[in-house]
Every structure is written in C-alpha cells, then in structure tokens.
Amino acid sequence: MEHSFGLLREAFLQRLEDDRFGDFRIEDEPASIHEFIDQMTVGNVAMRHFGLSDKARFPDLTNLNITFAEFMRQPVQIEGLHLPVDTIFREQFCRQIASKMVMAVAHERPSTPAANAALAEVGAAGWRDWASAVAQPPHLARLAAEFAEIAVKTFAEKPLISFFIRSPVEGEFSMWGPWASTGQGRELPTRIVEGDGYSVSVRVFRYLEVECDVAAYEWEATLTMAGAAQPDAAACGMTYVFKREGGELVGGLQDLIIAADSMADSDVIQAKSFITQHDDAEDVIEKSDLCFVWLWDRRAGVAKGLGAKCLTAALDDLRRRFKKVRTVVFDARPGQFSNWTSRVDPPMVALEKQTAVENLVGYIQGLNLKFDVRTIFARSDNPDREAVIAYSQATDWRDQGTRQDEGDEPEQDENDIDLDKWEEEICRLFRAAGLEELAEEVENGDAAYDEVLAAIKHIVFESSVHYLRPSSSGDFEPSLIDMLDEVPHDDAHDQIAGMDEFCSGLPDRMHVSAVHWLDGYAICTVLAHTPFGDLTEYFTLVRKPRPINLESFFQSLGQS
C-alpha cells in the first residue's frame, strides 16, 4: 500500500499548508486544525454551562502563545480518564480526514505515474475499487497516525495564536490577490486617477446574467507607485444600480439579493447583512444606489495610508460613473482573523477581535468620505446554506408578486394528492398501518394535509428503502435541492460507493431520479409511483441500523 499511502500523504500536505479541509466537514466535527483547537474552548464553556466540569476538562486556552507541539502534550480529562491532546487529535480529527481524503483522491481520479502505481498495487480496475480497498479500518488507522505525525512536525513551533490571527508577511498583501475579483462580464473603460507620486487604476465590469431590476457591477482598484512594476495597495467590491422610472425606484431589496447572487455567496451574505442590520435599508435605496467594499489592503512594509488613498480614489471614480451612488457599505470584519464563525472564541482572540473591529470602524469614520457610510458585520455560520436560502426566498417573493400581477394560480406541490378523490383508499391504507385515528380524521374532513402526506410518504418509503434520510438538523433543505450540485447518473454509479447497491434494492415502483452532493455526501432523490400520484423522498447512502434492545444495552453500560 506504499504507493497509495504516498498519494494520500501528498494530498494531505497540499491541504495542510493552508489548513484547508472545509469540504471534508462531517456535521459538527472540526474541518480544520484551527477548528479543532477552537473546540477545546467550546468544550470547556459547554461543560461549565451544564455543570459538568467534573466529567470532562479540556486544556486552558487563555494563553495562545504556547506552540502547537506544547498544545499536543496538554492533558484532557474525560470521565476520569486522562489523555494527551495528540490522542484526540489523531482519533477525532485525523481519522475523519483520512476517510474523506481517500474519497477525495478517488473523486479527482488522478492519472499520474504514482496514481497508476497506487491502482496497480491493490489490483483495482478503477478509483472506486481503489477507494474500497484503501478505506479499510486498519489502513485508515495507519493513515490517521501518519497524518497526525506530519501535522505535528509541520506546526511544532507554530504558536496557537497564529491559527486564529494571520501575521503580515513583509512585502505581501494580507487579503488582496488574483482571486479577489473575477473580471467577469462586460468591461467598462478603465480609468487612471493620478496622485502625488502614484496612480490608481480603476476597473469596472458589468455582470450580464442578472435577471432582476438591479444591475450588478464588480469593481477593483490598484495603486502603483511611480516607476513600480507591481501595485502596493488595492481595493475591490460591488456596486448595485437600481432600476428607476421617472425617478421612482423599481428594483427592491429582494432584487438586491438576486443581483448579489450573480457573483458569489459572500456577496449574498453582505447584501443580506445590509438589509437585516439596517432598519432603514428600504429608505436608503429609495435615495441611493449602493457601493459595497469587500476589502482594501496594502503590502506589508509599505507606507501607511496607501490603502486609504487607493480606496478614496476608487470611490470618487465610482461616484462619477454612477451618479446615484451616495451610500458606501463596509464589511467591518478585519481581515487578519482566520474565521468569524466560531461559536466561542478563546479569550485572547475575542479581545483581539473586539479591539480590531473598533479600530476599523473608527478608521473608516476618520476617512471623512463624502458618502452615507454604513458598516455591516457579514458573519455567517454557514454562508453556502444561508446564501441559497436568501436567494430562494428572494426569487419566491419576486415570482409570487409576478403571478399575482398576472392573475396566475400558484404552482402545486410536486407531492400533491387529491384527498377527496382518494379518501376511501387512503383510509384503508391508514387502517392497514394501524393509523385508525388519522383515518377517522380524513373521513371527517379534519385531517391536516401535511400530516396526511407525511404519513403516506412514511408508509410508502419506510418498508421499501432501508437507508437513512438526511438529518433534519443538518444542512439539508428539501425545497432547495435544485440549488445543490447534481451528479450525472453515470458518474454517480461510477464514483459513489454503494450507489449500485442502493438502486438495485429499490422496488420496481421506485427509482432514483437525481443525485446531489451536499457537504461531501450523496443525497438521492427517490421517486415512487403510487395510485395517489408520484411521491418524492430523499435518502443518504447510509444504511438504517438494525434494531437492538436498548434497555439491555444501557443496563450493560451501568454494570460496566
């Protein structure tokens, strides 16, 4: 297995450099080393909150100046058992990453000589077979141990605070880079603003695929000193221009969300934050178009103030281009922090964040910009999910208004069942399933439609599909299934372990109509043909657990 392990070690190292394991997330498990450290703080707070400090105790993270190697040696107490952090790191974090890394490499289907050797050493005809051969408990345990050793060796002397706060690197930008803007859409003329010993180049692009009453423009400005080849400061963001007829606003706040979605989820979160954090948002857009500032930055080591000069030059140019832009919106989250989604920050980080936010807001106010300046705090625990929900709500609101304007009837649910037509048959079904009370409610016309539909779907699918549904407490939202990445049927059967078995186990009246990816696992849409109509339900590829005698099991725990 040496070729396979070498391939996986290389993939792990590539992600380890940036502590980038977010697409490996499994429910509430940590998806980065930063999150693993962070959970120690959350754990202590939770134990104290519930009065369980005597049951579990995690390392005291009031001092984040200790090194990663020192942290790994810290003791953890769980039910009287004392373990070093590195044991939990290996078994909790690295074991999870090992399993997901195997699937990630198989999904990428590399074609290098090393990859071919990995396939050959396990006799695999394809990557699906390779993943099945490698993802065995002994192999995963070895991988977890190797990943833990690599991480400790890589970060041994790194202080814990550096996982939370990025230190500036001399001569480099902290936030700005080639990824900061897309350059998509139709480019407007670039303008050069001359300053004292420097020039600012302002580029603007209009997005063409915006189907609403708000036009979306991406802008980026770079400041270059006279004679220099590379910029020393940069700023970028979005401008939203609302449609107006006779001076009256046509596009509204929902259109702002739809326009923001033409760019990225982060733009949707910023637009939503502006709407929810400013009660007068509707009044603002009545009078003004909006300019959002994603970031402004300067190279570490260059003269202070260059970032502000770049920003002010860009805003002045944008105001000349877009006469109605009188409001500028800043995200007040300083960029040096690794993330803003932690439920509980270690004390040192919480204090640093509070101070940095206050300093940033004060600095923005001190610029004395000739705009209505607004600040937002665009924090989101799950930006992908929140952006999809915000966009879906905005389009539903718009479409509902359009249907009402045109006098159309609202669309029917895809699981619509005519209770009057099928009343007798449905009552017979419920009585056969022991639901006598619900059958009587149907006969008397007292049954809630949603309750009847839920009962029918449970009866139809429960005995036929022996797999778990997506957790209702997780990130799955049935109404937003079409927003997820869909996997073509052929690819699903070729790349997703267990797909063939899932499909072959369905009865003739059911079939998989679609497969989508959600946070690294497959969601299968199953369509069932019934006399009442077609019904849809969603399943994972995780089999239902077999029944056990819980009382006996719990008693055995007490005896041990």
Side-chain angles (χ1 to χ4, degrees):
M1 300 289 286
E2 291 309 312
H3 293 291
S4 297
F5 275 62
L7 197 66
L8 291 161
R9 282 193 296 269
E10 181 180 350
F12 178 74
L13 278 167
Q14 290 173 355
R15 291 171 182 264
L16 184 67
E17 183 177 354
D18 299 320
D19 196 13
R20 180 172 52 90
F21 301 97
D23 54 338
F24 287 177
R25 184 177 302 279
I26 301 178
E27 296 182 352
D28 292 329
E29 294 297 319
S32 66
I33 295 177
H34 160 266
E35 288 187 13
F36 175 81
I37 300 170
D38 209 34
Q39 281 195 0
M40 296 293 174
T41 297
V42 176
N44 269 338
V45 171
M47 291 299 107
R48 286 196 299 269
H49 177 77
F50 292 108
L52 299 174
S53 295
D54 58 329
K55 300 292 184 181
R57 188 168 300 166
F58 301 94
D60 182 3
L61 291 183
T62 54
N63 177 20
L64 294 180
N65 292 318
I66 63 172
T67 65
F68 186 71
E70 290 171 328
F71 172 63
M72 286 289 107
R73 294 192 292 269
Q74 296 280 313
V76 175
Q77 176 187 326
I78 301 177
E79 293 286 354
L81 182 66
H82 292 267
L83 300 169
V85 170
D86 64 2
T87 299
I88 298 175
F89 179 68
R90 181 181 67 247
E91 297 301 325
Q92 179 187 4
F93 180 77
C94 294
R95 184 64 177 263
Q96 167 197 319
I97 296 300
S99 177
K100 302 296 285 186
M101 188 69 72
V102 172
M103 300 309 297
V105 170
H107 182 70
E108 292 168 3
R109 305 169 84 174
S111 57
T112 62
N116 294 334
L119 288 172
E121 73 180 350
V122 297
W127 287 104
R128 181 179 172 186
D129 294 339
W130 175 84
S132 297
V134 176
Q136 299 299 316
H139 302 323
L140 293 179
R142 177 184 163 187
L143 270 176
E146 291 196 15
F147 288 173
E149 183 179 354
I150 291 170
V152 172
K153 185 178 296 184
T154 301
F155 296 135
E157 301 304 317
K158 186 175 182 178
L160 293 193
I161 191 69
S162 65
F163 286 95
F164 295 84
I165 303 175
R166 294 183 290 264
S167 300
V169 179
E170 187 75 13
E172 294 185 9
F173 286 96
S174 297
M175 299 175 288
W176 182 80
W179 54 267
S181 59
T182 66
Q184 296 178 357
R186 178 171 61 85
E187 185 171 8
L188 278 59
T190 297
R191 292 181 179 171
I192 306 298
V193 181
E194 297 294 343
D196 184 12
Y198 65 86
S199 62
V200 177
S201 172
V202 185
R203 303 169 67 207
V204 179
F205 299 83
R206 175 170 182 170
Y207 292 141
L208 304 178
E209 299 180 2
V210 181
E211 299 178 355
C212 64
D213 291 322
V214 176
Y217 298 83
E218 180 185 36
W219 62 269
E220 180 180 47
T222 53
L223 180 150
T224 305
M225 301 302 295
Q230 299 292 329
D232 282 326
C236 58
M238 291 291 293
T239 296
Y240 298 102
V241 177
F242 292 79
K243 183 179 179 180
R244 302 173 195 271
E245 293 180 354
E248 295 297 319
L249 182 70
V250 177
L253 293 176
Q254 303 302 328
D255 292 283
L256 173 62
I257 295 292
I258 296 170
D261 187 70
S262 64
M263 176 54 187
D265 290 343
S266 57
D267 294 280
V268 177
I269 298 301
Q270 289 195 349
K272 179 187 174 186
S273 299
F274 169 72
I275 293 170
T276 57
Q277 295 171 21
H278 291 271
D279 294 336
D280 62 342
E282 280 197 62
D283 295 334
V284 171
I285 66 172
E286 285 282 351
K287 305 171 186 176
S288 170
D289 294 328
L290 302 176
C291 176
F292 281 75
V293 178
W294 286 337
L295 61 86
W296 86 94
D297 195 8
R298 63 181 173 87
R299 290 185 189 276
V302 304
K304 291 183 178 180
L306 288 185
K309 290 178 179 178
C310 180
L311 174 66
T312 53
L315 294 178
D316 287 343
D317 175 70
L318 292 170
R319 184 166 48 193
R320 286 192 292 269
R321 293 179 191 251
F322 307 107
K323 305 301 183 185
K324 273 290 215 180
V325 172
R326 298 164 186 168
T327 302
V328 59
V329 183
F330 288 87
D331 189 346
R333 297 176 304 161
Q336 65 266 36
F337 297 95
S338 298
N339 88 25
W340 289 86
T341 61
S342 301
R343 288 166 288 179
V344 180
D345 283 318
M348 281 180 66
V349 177
L351 180 60
E352 290 282 351
K353 281 186 176 180
Q354 181 180 347
T355 303
V357 169
E358 292 173 354
N359 290 341
L360 178 58
V361 172
Y363 186 80
I364 292 171
Q365 293 172 344
L367 293 175
N368 296 317
L369 300 172
K370 299 184 177 74
F371 289 87
D372 174 17
V373 176
R374 304 297 181 106
T375 56
I376 59 173
F377 199 74
R379 172 176 175 170
S380 171
D381 291 336
N382 193 326
D384 294 345
R385 172 180 167 80
E386 289 189 27
V388 169
I389 292 175
Y391 175 79
S392 178
Q393 290 173 340
T395 53
D396 285 349
W397 178 88
R398 180 192 64 181
D399 294 344
Q400 181 182 8
T402 301
R403 288 196 299 270
Q404 290 175 349
D405 291 341
E406 297 175 353
D408 292 344
E409 293 293 327
E411 296 179 5
Q412 290 186 316
D413 189 276
E414 62 177 345
N415 288 308
D416 189 43
I417 293 178
D418 189 336
L419 297 187
D420 293 331
K421 178 180 179 180
W422 297 102
E423 176 184 320
E424 182 179 344
E425 290 80 3
I426 290 172
C427 289
R428 284 168 51 198
L429 175 68
F430 285 172
R431 288 192 168 98
L435 301 176
E436 179 67 34
E437 185 176 342
L438 186 55
E440 290 181 4
E441 290 180 2
V442 172
E443 288 176 335
N444 296 332
D446 298 329
Y449 176 80
D450 289 346
E451 186 177 358
V452 173
L453 178 61
I456 293 173
K457 290 176 68 173
H458 183 83
I459 294 169
V460 168
F461 290 102
E462 185 68 21
S463 62
S464 301
V465 185
H466 305 293
Y467 291 79
L468 296 179
R469 294 177 176 85
S471 172
S472 60
S473 62
D475 294 334
F476 179 65
E477 186 72 40
S479 63
L480 305 179
I481 187 71
D482 291 335
M483 300 291 184
L484 303 179
D485 292 332
E486 185 170 357
V487 185
H489 273 274
D490 290 344
D491 290 349
H493 285 276
D494 183 44
Q495 299 174 9
I496 303 176
M499 194 71 215
D500 289 342
E501 187 178 3
F502 179 88
C503 292
S504 62
L506 295 176
D508 292 339
R509 67 176 182 276
M510 296 184 189
H511 72 274
V512 174
S513 61
V515 181
H516 293 82
W517 281 117
L518 175 64
D519 291 342
Y521 67 92
I523 301 289
C524 298
T525 303
V526 177
L527 187 67
H529 305 289
T530 76
F532 317 128
D534 290 344
L535 300 175
T536 297
E537 189 56 279
Y538 305 96
F539 294 91
T540 68
L541 296 181
V542 179
R543 283 191 168 276
K544 293 178 183 176
R546 65 175 182 268
I548 65 171
N549 187 325
L550 280 177
E551 289 304 319
S552 297
F553 178 76
F554 289 149
Q555 288 176 7
S556 69
L557 291 180
Q559 293 169 359
S560 62

